[in-house]
Amino acid sequence: MKYTRFLTAASAARRPSPIRVLTELQQRSPPTLISLAGGAPNPDTFPFQSTTIEVKNGPPITFNETIMRRALQYSASSGLPELLTWMKNLQKNLHNPPTVSYTPENGQMDMCVTTGSQEGLCKVFEMLVNPGDNVLLDAPTYPGTLAALQPLGCNIINVPSDQHGMIPAALRKILSRWDPSEVHQPSSTAPRLLYTIPNGGNPTGASMTTQRKQEVYELARLYDMLIIEDDPYYFLQFDKPWAPTFLSMDVDGRIIRTDSFSKILSSGLRIGFLTGPKPLVDRVVLHIQASTMHTSTFTQLMVSELLHGWGQEGFLQHVDRVIEFYRKQRDAMINSANNWLKDVADWHTPTAGMFLWIKLKGIADTQQLIMKKALEKEVLLVPGGVFLINSGEPCPYVRAAFSLSTPEQMDEALRRLSALIREAM
């Protein structure tokens, strides 16, 4: 693939930071090297000396003085080498990407650490999206995606979806406006980028079927598009075997995948991963060099120690425990919805994630209902309009999260919502 055709002028103009390059070179050098090059502060002046972190299912993580000195210092912009190696092995075992064996220029799979998957998304959009570009996504979608895309001045085209995710026939109809043989012409306005959350979508809870992914991927090949596979709920799929990913189907090197530890390890640690063709991952790393410089060394070391202590088997056992918790939470919310909302709302049971997308009967728009009257009833949900490309459009949906509340709290919340709907009907 010719990746240069996808880059914005700003991304194409990025060059390696000489200081960052020297920092990473020094970290790979033997301890006998004497460096007067770096501008790193002396860790002897830092007030933090050592720490021990207790772990629920594993041995404590201990940072002695030597490890703490490293944890508090600058590190490589792409991520800690040992953490990247662990994650690359995980990606290979989970997804078996065809691009693993490719040459770098042909889209070899590469990875970098990001400060949460949101940083990766923002930097990918800024790498690929020009003002006036047509960008495809299936709304309703994550507001953080819209917040990152809309200021770039692109034209966001909504691809219809249902409880099984993006509808390939609808995508095909939209793309029929353009001739596939002309997409490489400089004057072509054909979309070059498609974004989707394939599992447990936020807010809809929708999960794309394998068949649909295959059809969407083939359309991406036909029109030479990149696909952003934003998959923060991959590890919250309730049924096994887990669905094959776009990354596992990627014979061309056209998938950019974001993963997150926020839902399974900690949302506050801000550890995410970007996986994709090396020429594009390299561009993101250059942007990291010029912005955040790198994700916190401390949190990367903390997670790396945890993962190496667990091994892949221990990590996946932890994931299974997390899934079991959210499955029970999901079941509790569905039971309460059946008890209180059956006559006043519709929904589909999600197979992944942490959200229930509820359509209220007889309510054209939920914005005022939720933001004013629901607060009076002491129940709070998210009005559906905030997830639309045009947030001012009427929307009869609300999003309910089953992640934090107890089953008893969820039941009472949906009882209050039921009363609210009946009053408004």
Side-chain angles (χ1 to χ4, degrees):
M1 289 183 62
K2 187 178 180 182
Y3 294 107
T4 53
R5 90 175 194 89
F6 296 99
L7 300 179
T8 61
S11 183
R14 296 193 187 280
R15 298 292 179 266
S17 161
I19 299 299
R20 292 267 77 210
V21 171
L22 283 173
T23 298
E24 294 170 21
L25 178 64
Q26 179 180 338
Q27 290 170 349
R28 295 195 301 268
S29 299
T32 52
L33 174 79
I34 299 174
S35 173
L36 304 180
N42 193 313
D44 288 340
T45 65
F46 298 160
F48 309 102
Q49 193 165 352
S50 64
T51 189
T52 297
I53 301 165
E54 298 295 328
V55 177
K56 288 180 181 176
N57 297 288
I61 297 171
T62 299
F63 286 5
N64 59 26
E65 288 189 40
T66 301
I67 297 175
M68 183 64 90
R69 288 168 70 93
R70 183 187 178 201
L72 299 176
Q73 194 54 275
Y74 295 126
S75 57
S77 293
S78 57
L80 294 186
E82 63 267 42
L83 180 56
L84 280 172
T85 297
W86 199 97
M87 282 304 302
K88 284 180 180 178
N89 288 332
L90 181 69
Q91 296 293 64
K92 291 173 186 177
N93 288 342
L94 290 178
H95 309 290
N96 191 26
T99 54
V100 165
S101 59
Y102 289 16
T103 60
E105 60 272 16
N106 287 329
Q108 181 185 61
M109 187 202 89
D110 201 7
M111 295 183 71
C112 68
V113 180
T114 57
T115 305
S117 61
Q118 183 69 20
E119 184 196 22
L121 278 178
C122 286
K123 285 179 165 51
V124 166
F125 290 146
E126 291 177 28
M127 171 177 67
L128 300 174
V129 178
N130 288 295
D133 280 359
N134 288 316
V135 176
L136 301 166
L137 57 75
D138 47 338
T141 193
Y142 171 50
T145 297
L146 298 174
L149 272 177
Q150 287 171 332
L152 300 179
C154 59
N155 176 36
I156 302 175
I157 301 175
N158 182 31
V159 182
S161 60
D162 58 20
Q163 72 268 29
H164 302 300
M166 184 178 288
I167 301 171
L171 175 61
R172 187 177 295 106
K173 182 178 180 180
I174 291 171
L175 289 171
S176 67
R177 304 174 197 173
W178 295 274
D179 185 338
S181 66
E182 297 176 355
V183 297
H184 293 134
Q185 295 181 5
S187 61
S188 175
T189 61
R192 292 174 296 138
L193 189 63
L194 181 148
Y195 167 92
T196 191
I197 304 174
N199 293 299
N202 180 3
T204 64
S207 294
M208 200 182 300
T209 63
T210 302
Q211 178 65 30
R212 288 193 179 185
K213 287 178 185 173
Q214 291 168 340
E215 292 181 45
V216 168
Y217 187 82
E218 287 307 313
L219 286 169
R221 299 188 77 187
L222 180 62
Y223 286 87
D224 196 19
M225 295 187 297
L226 298 175
I227 297 175
I228 298 178
E229 181 176 32
D230 183 17
D231 211 356
Y233 305 101
Y234 175 78
F235 292 110
L236 292 187
Q237 296 182 74
F238 303 132
D239 302 317
K240 291 187 178 181
W242 291 341
T245 58
F246 280 112
L247 185 66
S248 70
M249 306 173 184
D250 188 20
V251 294
D252 295 334
R254 65 177 68 253
I255 302 300
I256 303 171
R257 177 180 171 84
T258 60
D259 282 283
S260 174
F261 280 156
S262 292
K263 313 301 184 290
I264 52 174
L265 294 184
S266 161
S267 51
L269 287 178
R270 307 310 299 139
I271 299 283
F273 293 88
L274 190 71
T275 306
K278 182 171 174 54
L280 297 181
V281 173
D282 286 347
R283 292 281 115 193
V284 171
V285 172
L286 292 180
H287 194 172
I288 293 172
Q289 288 182 359
S291 56
T292 54
M293 292 177 61
H294 60 80
T295 298
S296 164
T297 313
F298 188 100
T299 57
Q300 287 190 75
L301 264 177
M302 181 177 163
V303 170
S304 181
E305 291 287 322
L306 177 72
L307 295 178
H308 281 90
W310 273 347
Q312 284 194 24
E313 183 178 353
F315 168 73
L316 293 174
Q317 288 172 351
H318 168 75
V319 168
D320 284 342
R321 289 189 290 269
V322 175
I323 289 172
E324 186 57 28
F325 170 82
Y326 284 110
R327 182 190 289 111
K328 290 178 179 177
Q329 291 288 100
R330 187 263 325 252
D331 292 347
M333 177 163 277
I334 295 298
N335 287 337
S336 294
N338 285 328
N339 288 338
W340 298 111
L341 301 178
K342 193 176 293 184
D343 298 330
V344 294
D346 293 315
W347 62 88
H348 295 285
T349 301
T351 59
M354 50 180 64
F355 305 114
L356 185 63
W357 187 235
I358 306 172
K359 183 179 182 180
L360 309 189
K361 295 180 180 179
I363 308 293
D365 185 32
T366 58
Q367 180 70 24
Q368 294 301 314
L369 183 74
I370 296 301
M371 300 311 292
K372 289 187 177 180
K373 294 183 178 179
L375 287 175
E376 295 172 6
K377 294 284 187 182
E378 296 187 314
V379 59
L380 189 60
L381 301 95
V382 184
V386 305
F387 303 99
L388 302 181
I389 296 169
N390 178 3
S391 60
E393 288 183 11
C395 181
Y397 286 88
V398 294
R399 190 197 75 177
F402 49 81
S403 54
L404 284 175
S405 300
T406 65
E408 293 76 20
Q409 289 172 326
M410 287 189 281
D411 191 70
E412 176 60 20
L414 295 190
R415 185 195 68 79
R416 295 175 187 180
L417 176 62
S418 174
L420 181 65
I421 299 169
R422 294 177 194 281
E423 286 179 14
M425 288 175 69

